[in-house]
Amino acid sequence: MKLRLDHDSPVPLYHQIAEAIRYRIATGALAPGRALPPLRQAAALWGANLHTVRRAYTELARAGVVETRVALGTVVLPGAGARPGARRGRSRLDSFVERLVVEARERHGLGVAELMALLEGRLSPAPTRGDATAFVAECSATQSADLAEQLMARWRVAATPWPTDRAQPPGGHPIIATYFHFNEVRTRWSERVADLHFMAIRPDPALGERLLRLTRGRRRVAVELCERDEAMLHNIQADLSRLLPPERFDLRPRLVRKPERWLAARRTPGPVLFSPRVWGELSERARRDPRAHEARFVFEPRDLDAVGSTLGWQPR
């Protein structure tokens, strides 16, 4: 089962997955008794992490749409499908959404991303008791969403991705940012300094393990790293150099303006790493290229543990 996720959307990925599955059930594409893909397979297929898929399945189970059974996995429950006329209703719903988007743009100057952020904040269910609220600021919408999911996997917090090029986040809640953007965020949101909490990030150790497996038995392998900003390119290169042993990997930085076209024209089979924000701009087809990998970053474990304790969050 294929899903197209929008990594640049302010709507959390787990919610996108859950809603996409609901739609397939409502339209009959997923019949009662049909098993959803296993967690690891789904994460690889949809370009999400394991915690994101697990949370989407959990939300569906709470809503009574699916059930996890030991022998069969997560299956669609009877009665979760579409009622007669659902397709006709869906057509009306599509028209309503189209009118909403047009009016938001023409009357209020809101793009789709801004509209979705507004709806998510106003219409999403209230956090369960014990949940806190925070914003996660990063220059990349893809990385901002990923880091927000990492926070929610560790702590009972409703973390909202908030790319740094947007308007200032609403007041009253902590803003989690990375040291990559320490000066930028403090300058841009100077009146919110008291709400800022900076955390260290590092390349995902799983990336190094995956590349070692893929290149097992080969001598020093050339790995190309693609980014469109030169300063960011060299920052990421320095971090990855500590993850990828130089005796096994020759890490080559590439300043690429049109990464997807560059990848398609490339004839060599070696691995290619894309920075998180460039990865977020790639099409699903480009991401499925076996040479392509996201240079994913994760919070330092000690910082991830410390921030929740400092802010009084409840652990998962």
Side-chain angles (χ1 to χ4, degrees), residues 45-253:
L45 184 65
W46 301 334
N49 66 46
L50 191 65
H51 295 301
T52 300
V53 178
R54 181 182 289 117
R55 184 170 183 188
Y57 283 14
T58 299
E59 294 296 322
L60 291 170
R62 286 175 180 168
V65 176
V66 302
E67 181 180 62
T68 299
R69 301 171 182 172
V70 175
L72 300 176
T74 302
V75 298
V76 178
L77 290 174
R83 64 186 185 276
R87 291 183 182 275
R88 191 165 56 252
R90 184 70 192 182
S91 177
R92 292 196 295 270
L93 181 60
D94 288 342
S95 298
F96 164 74
V97 171
E98 185 176 352
R99 292 196 305 273
L100 179 64
V101 171
V102 170
E103 184 171 350
R105 182 178 64 247
E106 294 182 351
R107 297 186 60 179
H108 304 287
L110 294 175
V112 173
E114 288 78 13
L115 174 61
M116 291 301 295
L118 180 64
L119 291 174
E120 183 71 15
R122 290 179 176 269
L123 302 182
S124 59
T128 60
R129 187 176 181 181
D131 278 5
T133 302
F135 292 88
V136 181
E138 248 292 338
C139 67
S140 160
T142 301
Q143 188 163 340
S144 179
D146 189 5
L147 294 175
E149 288 165 8
Q150 292 176 40
L151 276 181
M152 292 188 289
R154 174 66 180 85
W155 298 100
R156 293 188 64 82
V157 57
T160 300
W162 204 268
T164 55
D165 60 356
R166 288 191 186 165
Q168 182 164 310
H173 301 295
I175 303 169
I176 309 301
T178 66
Y179 285 110
F180 263 120
H181 303 288
F182 182 82
N183 291 327
E184 176 190 356
V185 171
R186 286 176 62 90
T187 301
R188 182 185 294 270
W189 299 331
S190 57
E191 62 271 37
R192 299 291 304 282
V193 167
D195 295 325
L196 293 173
H197 300 268
F198 292 93
M199 296 172 60
I201 56 176
R202 64 175 181 176
D204 186 356
L207 172 63
E209 296 168 5
R210 183 164 66 251
L211 291 180
L212 284 169
R213 287 196 305 271
L214 289 174
T215 60
R216 184 175 298 151
R218 296 165 59 183
R219 301 188 67 179
R220 199 161 183 256
V221 177
V223 178
E224 296 185 281
L225 170 64
C226 295
E227 228 291 323
R228 63 171 183 265
D229 177 80
E230 187 170 6
M232 184 63 71
L233 174 65
H234 293 299
N235 285 338
I236 295 175
Q237 180 191 10
D239 284 335
L240 288 174
S241 296
R242 296 193 292 269
L243 178 69
L244 304 178
E247 65 273 12
R248 285 291 308 276
F249 299 103
D250 176 18
L251 186 59
R252 302 175 179 178

Side-chain angles (χ1 to χ4, degrees), residues 2-58:
K2 294 183 179 180
L3 301 182
R4 184 177 294 277
L5 303 181
D6 183 356
H7 289 259
D8 292 330
S9 171
V11 179
L13 293 183
Y14 80 88
H15 189 67
Q16 294 185 42
I17 292 172
E19 289 304 301
I21 292 173
R22 283 178 186 270
Y23 175 66
R24 282 161 174 75
I25 293 171
T27 57
L30 283 174
R34 176 81 176 273
L36 301 181
L39 290 174
R40 292 187 183 281
Q41 178 185 337
L45 184 65
W46 301 334
N49 66 46
L50 191 65
H51 295 301
T52 300
V53 178
R54 181 182 289 117
R55 184 170 183 188
Y57 283 14
T58 299

Side-chain angles (χ1 to χ4, degrees), residues 251-314:
L251 186 59
R252 302 175 179 178
R254 293 283 183 264
L255 195 62
V256 179
R257 302 300 181 191
K258 298 181 178 179
E260 194 152 336
R261 184 179 299 177
W262 176 86
L263 179 65
R266 188 171 177 269
R267 294 291 175 258
T268 52
V272 179
L273 304 181
F274 294 94
S275 69
R277 63 178 173 184
V278 174
W279 179 263
E281 297 167 359
L282 296 179
S283 67
E284 193 69 25
R285 180 179 180 181
R287 292 186 188 184
R288 288 198 300 266
D289 189 309
R291 301 168 298 175
H293 305 272
E294 179 186 6
R296 183 174 182 248
F297 278 73
V298 296
F299 283 124
E300 284 281 3
R302 62 185 179 185
D303 280 16
L304 188 57
D305 289 342
V307 69
S309 299
T310 298
L311 294 170
W313 295 343
Q314 297 297 315

